[in-house]
């Protein structure tokens, strides 16, 4: 009997285990977690400057092209008036920004420099670090391969273009003496006050570039200039260094219109700002006292053209010729032998 009871208990336990076992689900093996690859990093931005910077650079080239083309062979008062409007037609701030943007575009012609900058900024993190270093000190842009070659191109672009305006201005200034044998040049300028007001209005108005200048700047940015400048040797001025820094940002796509609020300081330059302001002030003062047409020619050549071109040249630590003046007349001593035997009137 005891054995039987023991058997029944064993059977009951076994049956209970079967019931529990049947009620317990069999745990299936978990599938491996789905691995989602990280998103693709953003592509490297294209090399380029913002539309405003390109526009200002093209405005600078337009001014240089049109002003350096002014001929000293004046034949009437209207020709003088037209030339004066051309030479005076720049707003100093826009011309300064344009000059620096133009220099940056020239620096981008150095493909070795551009390639090294892009290699160093291959990732968003690297680009951010690069921007931070340039913002801390623009001279850090000179650490890239061939950065000094890019600086040489930037310096040459402004030195050569500024000298084109300076040299043309010297020819026009000397014409103020040569044309005095023409009766029309001795007559008083028509509407003196209107002419002075026009010069001031043109000096405060933003201008638009020519289509050809826009094309030329675009080609420079792509490294395909029509006539690349001859490289200029060091030292490099703060303006040139900032132009190279701007070119480095442009090489990694960090100099677009969206970045304008952050990079505007790279197109500032204390010397060029004040030099252009002085050139304008000298022009206004000259025009205020000039009456005969030949005196307007002098004001145009000396202050609208020579002074402006000289400001650009000297802002990149290049040099302009120094005139040696005679004691009694404002004529370079080297050119006295070309003067007519009769005494010329001295332009004011």
């Amino acid at each position: 009997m005891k054995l039987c009871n023991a058997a029944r208990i064993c059977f009951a336990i076994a049956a209970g285990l079967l019931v529990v076992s049947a009620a317990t689900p069999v745990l299936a093996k978990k599938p491996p977690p789905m691995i989602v690859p990280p998103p693709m990093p953003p592509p490297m931005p294209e090399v380029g400057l913002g539309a405003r910077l390109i526009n200002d650079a093209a405005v600078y080239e337009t001014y240089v092209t049109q002003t350096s083309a002014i001929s000293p062979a004046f034949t009437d008062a209207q020709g003088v008036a037209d030339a004066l409007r051309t030479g005076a037609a720049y707003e100093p701030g826009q011309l300064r920004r344009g000059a620096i943007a133009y220099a940056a575009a020239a620096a981008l012609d150095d493909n070795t420099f551009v390639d090294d900058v892009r290699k160093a900024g291959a990732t968003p993190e690297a680009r951010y670090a690069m921007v931070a270093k340039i913002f801390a000190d623009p001279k850090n842009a000179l650490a890239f391969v061939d950065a000094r070659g890019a600086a040489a191109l930037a310096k040459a672009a402004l030195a050569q273009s500024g000298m084109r305006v300076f040299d043309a201005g010297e020819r026009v200034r000397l014409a103020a003496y040569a044309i005095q044998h023409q009766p029309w040049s001795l007559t008083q300028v028509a509407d003196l006050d209107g002419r002075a007001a026009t010069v001031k209005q043109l000096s405060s108005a933003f201008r638009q570039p020519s289509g050809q200048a826009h094309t030329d700047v675009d080609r420079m940015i792509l490294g395909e200039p029509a006539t690349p400048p001859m490289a200029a040797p060091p030292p490099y001025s703060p303006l040139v260094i900032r132009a190279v820094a701007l070119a480095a940002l442009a090489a990694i796509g960090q100099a677009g219109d969206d970045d304008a609020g952050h990079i505007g300081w790279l197109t500032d330059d204390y010397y060029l700002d004040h030099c252009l302001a002085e050139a304008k002030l000298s022009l206004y003062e000259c025009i205020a006292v000039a009456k005969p047409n030949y005196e307007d020619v002098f004001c145009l050549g000396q202050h609208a053209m020579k002074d402006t071109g000289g400001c650009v040249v000297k802002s990149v630590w290049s040099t302009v010729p120094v005139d040696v003046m005679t004691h009694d007349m404002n004529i370079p001593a080297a050119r006295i032998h070309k003067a007519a035997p009769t005494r010329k009137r001295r332009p004011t």
Side-chain angles (χ1 to χ4, degrees):
M1 181 64 74
K2 290 182 180 180
L3 181 61
C4 179
N5 288 338
R8 287 178 182 174
I9 292 172
C10 291
F11 178 78
I13 292 174
L17 290 175
L18 288 175
V19 171
V20 171
S21 177
T24 302
V26 177
L27 296 178
K29 187 177 181 181
K30 290 184 178 180
M34 182 178 294
I35 299 175
V36 180
M40 291 288 291
M44 168 71 80
E46 296 293 329
V47 178
L49 292 170
R52 180 180 176 181
L53 288 172
I54 292 175
N55 188 79
D56 286 344
V59 165
Y60 173 78
E61 181 175 294
T62 299
Y63 175 79
V64 168
T65 300
Q66 294 178 352
T67 303
S68 63
I70 293 175
S71 170
F74 297 105
T75 58
D76 55 35
Q78 186 59 52
V80 174
D82 291 343
L84 181 58
R85 283 193 292 271
T86 298
Y90 72 84
E91 194 278 326
Q94 186 184 37
L95 194 74
R96 180 250 304 153
R97 290 193 305 274
I100 298 174
Y102 187 81
L108 289 170
D109 291 341
D110 191 311
N111 292 324
T112 302
F113 167 72
V114 172
D115 290 345
D116 192 57
V117 173
R118 289 179 68 80
K119 179 181 177 181
T123 66
E125 295 77 14
R127 290 193 289 276
Y128 180 83
M130 187 186 305
V131 172
K133 289 185 67 175
I134 288 175
F135 274 47
D137 187 348
K139 289 182 181 178
N140 286 322
L142 298 179
F144 295 105
V145 174
D146 210 35
R148 293 194 175 274
L153 291 175
K155 177 178 179 177
L158 294 190
Q160 293 172 20
S161 58
M163 280 305 302
R164 287 171 59 193
V165 177
F166 182 92
D167 288 341
E170 174 65 359
R171 293 190 292 270
V172 169
R173 187 183 72 85
L174 292 175
Y177 304 95
I179 65 174
Q180 289 180 41
H181 67 278
Q182 302 177 37
W184 65 267
S185 74
L186 306 178
T187 61
Q188 182 168 296
V189 174
D191 189 13
L192 293 172
D193 292 339
R195 172 264 271 136
T198 296
V199 167
K200 290 186 177 181
Q201 187 275 327
L202 290 170
S203 299
S204 60
F206 292 142
R207 62 182 296 172
Q208 293 300 316
S210 69
Q212 182 58 51
H214 232 298
T215 299
D216 290 344
V217 172
D218 286 337
R219 291 185 64 182
M220 290 170 69
I221 293 171
L222 294 174
E224 302 172 356
T227 53
M230 296 288 289
Y236 302 122
S237 71
L239 183 150
V240 171
I241 291 171
R242 283 192 292 275
V244 174
L246 181 59
L249 296 180
I252 55 173
Q254 305 299 308
D257 290 328
D258 292 342
D259 306 297
H262 306 293
I263 63 174
W265 62 279
L266 288 173
T267 58
D268 286 338
D269 187 72
Y270 180 86
Y271 174 80
L272 187 54
D273 244 353
H274 286 263
C275 189
L276 291 176
E278 285 294 324
K280 285 292 186 182
L281 180 60
S282 296
L283 176 62
Y284 298 156
E285 293 174 343
C286 189
I287 291 294
V289 298
K291 290 182 173 60
N293 284 291
Y294 73 84
E295 290 186 346
D296 266 15
V297 174
F298 177 85
C299 295
L300 165 65
Q302 179 62 52
H303 301 301
M305 298 173 69
K306 281 190 69 177
D307 287 357
T308 299
C311 285
V312 174
V313 174
K314 288 181 283 187
S315 72
V316 297
W317 290 358
S318 193
T319 58
V320 296
V322 177
D323 290 329
V324 178
M325 300 301 193
T326 64
H327 178 69
D328 63 333
M329 295 183 69
N330 191 23
I331 302 178
R335 300 177 186 271
I336 292 177
H337 68 281
K338 296 185 178 180
T342 56
R343 186 180 178 92
K344 297 292 186 181
R345 299 171 187 258
R346 177 184 174 183
T348 302

